[in-house]
Amino acid sequence: MGAYVVRRLFFSLFVLWGAVTIIFVVLRLVPGDPAYIMLGPDADQAQVAALRAQLGLDHSLIQQYSTYLANVVHLDFGQSFRLNADSMSLVLQRVPATIQLATTALLLSLLIGLPLGVVAALRAHSWVDRTISVFSLMGQSTPSFWLGIVLILVFARGLKVLPSAGSGTWGHLVLPTITLALPFLAILVRLTRSGLLEVVHEGYVQTARAKGLAESVVILVHALRNALIPIVTVVGLQFGALLGGTVIVETVFAWPGVGRLLIDSIGRRDYGVVQASILLVATIFVGINLVVDLLYGFLDPRVRLAGD
């Protein structure tokens, strides 16, 4: 188990280094002079040159990259020229709102997706199964931005029962949560159904039935428990995907999270905030994947034995 943990930690650090490097390269490949864009068209050459020197853009790419890595290690992304505050502090202020939205969407997906997947598996090839499968396929295929706009038009503009944007009450959380949760809910339904159908005819399930156990005990305790092993991995990966999906949802619903801050900062070339936002999301994503990998190794001994 020790070798497995060390290997996963190494791969996680490697992924973080790759994410940090990609952020640096992409921001430098975007057309236009960042200093000129920050200062606007009225700035003279002296002001542009001074800002380039302040940002270190007058150095070679190797020097910029070395300085950038050193700053990342110390979580120093400089000041936001737009908001006149520390970049990482600005991002951290938005994290609770994003975590709240992603966590609520995850819980909603689990509370609805798992039972629907179990029902579809137990009623396999029936009209119930086909109906659930059709709706799950539609949910998985629906673009989040389109669904968000439709929900706003129906429940905020039409029925006027929920707010269309902002935060502060539970009502503000309803529409963005549904928008964010629906694609993952659909994936969870299909995955639970297929996983349960794979194990329901296994020998240990038949043995449990032969012992005279109630069908609900057989399904929930024996079959579903083993079917949940791959689902645990998907839940971890999808929680990271939910964090990434908040970029679109927060923009549509004006939710004050990291995603909306990131979009605003990209448009204004606020390098420090962009770097801090992406790195924080990448770190959370990698951290969740690491926890899932370790948990998967704990649930399935074959994984950690292979690692050792």
Side-chain angles (χ1 to χ4, degrees), residues 146-175:
W146 181 84
L147 176 61
I149 294 173
V150 170
L151 291 178
I152 290 174
L153 291 176
V154 174
F155 294 99
R157 301 301 182 189
L159 300 177
K160 300 184 185 301
V161 294
L162 291 169
S164 62
S167 63
T169 66
W170 69 268
H172 290 92
L173 192 59
V174 173
L175 295 184

Side-chain angles (χ1 to χ4, degrees), residues 19-31 271 274 278:
V20 167
T21 303
I22 291 174
I23 295 170
F24 175 84
V25 172
V26 169
L27 289 179
R28 266 63 183 181
L29 289 178
V30 175
Y271 273 13
V274 172
I278 297 178

